[in-house]
Amino acid sequence: MNNRTLFILFISGLLLFFGGRYWRSSRSVAFDPQILHVDTAQVDRISFLASGDPSNAFELQRNGQEWKAVKGTVAVLAKPQAVAAVLSPLADLQANRIISRDAGQYATYEIDDAKAGRLTAWAGNQKVADLLMGGFRFDQAAQSATTFIRKADADEVYEIDGFKNMGLKARFDQFRDKRLVKNSADDLTGIEWSNAVGHKQAMTKEDGAWYYAGMEAVDSSAFSSYLDGLVNAQGSAFSDLTSVQGLLMIEKLTLQTTSVGNPVTITAYAAQDSLKPFLIASTANPEAIFISDSLGLYKKVFTDLRKFWPNGQ
């Protein structure tokens, strides 16, 4: 074997050696977009902490096929669609890109201890996810949104789709039922209003038409709009109270329906708040007590009904 052949073999060996090292090194630093992959069928508890504030902490807890949202002494059946919005990104959380590995930049992305939210998920005693949730950015021109996220045990800050993964930054009230009525407007057959001193007003439906006190027909188009507003009314703010016991009743509506069972009763109570003086509860949603001012939920349920009475009072 001559020197030329030996030289060619030597150079080829060097190329193979350093090429292999470069290939392996490139693989090790290549960006992997998958941040997390969790078998969500095994997840039975998820804790949330918003913006590092312990007063906002709550949990989702699985019980069979149902989930409960628990905050302090308040435990409510969680809305399935809200739970799904959390589980879906946990099953396959994908990143758009890595933004930073520099802890000095965490505050810029609101991913530091003071501002970041935190989501932790367990399957039994095993922690399967521990994520810090940072700022939300909306691009008006592109009509897109991004959120910044970091694993609690890693340095990388990732940019993720803000809309698709919004459930990871959920708040307790998002899991609560905000409805007062669970019937359709067509299900209603009678409405009786009463107040604390026993005054009453009644509306009844006969052959598809509504009548005041069973005698005077009301404007069908206007009353249909009222009924649609009533059955679609949702509270926007929850009271921390878990019972109406001891509250001063102001007025209530009793709704007769075609459904089997007791009528639906919506009651307004006095609140110790001059700006939002009403607490509103419904037997159709006994886990919730809503706070309202005179222009919000209270108006939609009670005030808007008065115009259909002969004296408007």
Side-chain angles (χ1 to χ4, degrees):
M1 185 177 292
N2 58 35
N3 290 340
R4 178 183 174 83
T5 303
L6 289 173
F7 179 76
I8 291 173
L9 290 173
F10 176 73
I11 294 299
S12 298
L14 287 176
L15 288 173
L16 288 171
F17 175 75
F18 287 108
R21 290 192 62 183
Y22 176 80
W23 180 76
R24 288 191 297 271
S25 175
S26 297
R27 285 189 67 192
S28 67
V29 298
F31 169 59
D32 182 0
Q34 187 169 73
I35 303 171
L36 198 64
H37 177 68
V38 172
D39 181 0
T40 56
Q42 303 302 315
V43 173
D44 54 16
R45 184 163 66 97
I46 306 172
S47 70
F48 297 81
L49 180 64
S51 303
D53 183 355
S55 67
N56 290 322
F58 71 96
E59 286 192 352
L60 291 179
Q61 300 173 1
R62 187 199 293 268
N63 182 14
Q65 296 301 310
E66 295 181 335
W67 286 84
K68 279 196 170 185
V70 181
K71 182 179 181 182
T73 59
V74 179
V76 300
L77 191 64
K79 295 192 297 184
Q81 62 269 35
V83 175
V86 178
L87 295 178
S88 179
L90 289 181
D92 186 24
L93 183 59
Q94 299 282 328
N96 296 335
R97 57 179 175 146
I98 294 175
I99 293 293
S100 176
R101 293 184 175 89
D102 181 5
Q105 296 294 314
Y106 287 173
T108 301
Y109 305 109
E110 300 171 51
I111 203 82
D112 57 332
D113 292 339
K115 295 182 179 179
R118 190 164 189 164
L119 179 152
T120 311
W122 289 266
N125 294 323
Q126 182 182 4
K127 186 186 293 185
V128 295
D130 195 0
L131 303 172
L132 294 172
M133 309 298 301
F136 179 89
R137 305 286 188 270
F138 177 66
D139 185 330
Q140 181 72 37
Q143 290 294 293
S144 63
T146 56
T147 293
F148 306 110
I149 191 171
R150 177 170 67 88
K151 289 184 177 181
D153 60 354
D155 297 327
E156 291 84 0
V157 177
Y158 297 95
E159 177 192 271
I160 63 174
D161 187 310
F163 290 141
K164 183 179 178 181
N165 300 293
M166 194 172 289
L168 297 176
K169 300 188 73 173
R171 299 294 186 265
F172 180 65
D173 286 354
Q174 292 174 232
F175 297 94
R176 305 186 70 175
D177 190 345
K178 299 179 180 180
R179 294 173 295 173
L180 292 176
V181 182
K182 299 182 181 181
N183 299 88
S184 70
D186 289 340
D187 290 337
L188 302 183
T189 60
I191 300 177
E192 181 183 86
W193 171 90
S194 59
N195 65 10
V197 296
H199 293 163
K200 294 183 179 182
Q201 303 279 7
M203 316 288 287
T204 56
K205 184 166 71 172
E206 297 179 16
D207 298 325
W210 282 88
Y211 297 85
Y212 171 77
M215 296 179 292
E216 185 175 338
V218 299
D219 184 319
S220 60
S221 177
F223 198 66
S224 179
S225 295
Y226 166 76
L227 293 178
D228 285 340
L230 174 65
V231 299
N232 291 301
Q234 294 195 5
S236 59
F238 290 88
S239 168
D240 291 332
L241 296 175
T242 57
S243 170
V244 297
Q245 185 174 357
L247 297 180
L248 177 63
M249 191 270 276
I250 300 173
E251 55 191 313
K252 68 179 180 180
L253 289 187
T254 302
L255 310 181
Q256 301 292 339
T257 75
T258 58
S259 304
V260 176
N262 294 326
V264 176
T265 301
I266 305 172
T267 309
Y269 299 92
Q272 303 303 312
D273 186 330
S274 59
L275 296 178
K276 295 184 177 181
F278 304 106
L279 294 170
I280 299 177
S282 171
T283 56
N285 186 4
E287 293 180 329
I289 300 174
F290 300 102
I291 303 168
S292 178
D293 59 18
S294 59
L295 299 177
L297 189 63
Y298 175 82
K299 177 180 182 295
K300 186 171 290 188
V301 175
F302 295 100
T303 306
D304 287 353
L305 178 62
R306 288 175 169 75
K307 63 184 178 183
F308 298 103
W309 302 342
N311 58 4
Q313 299 296 319

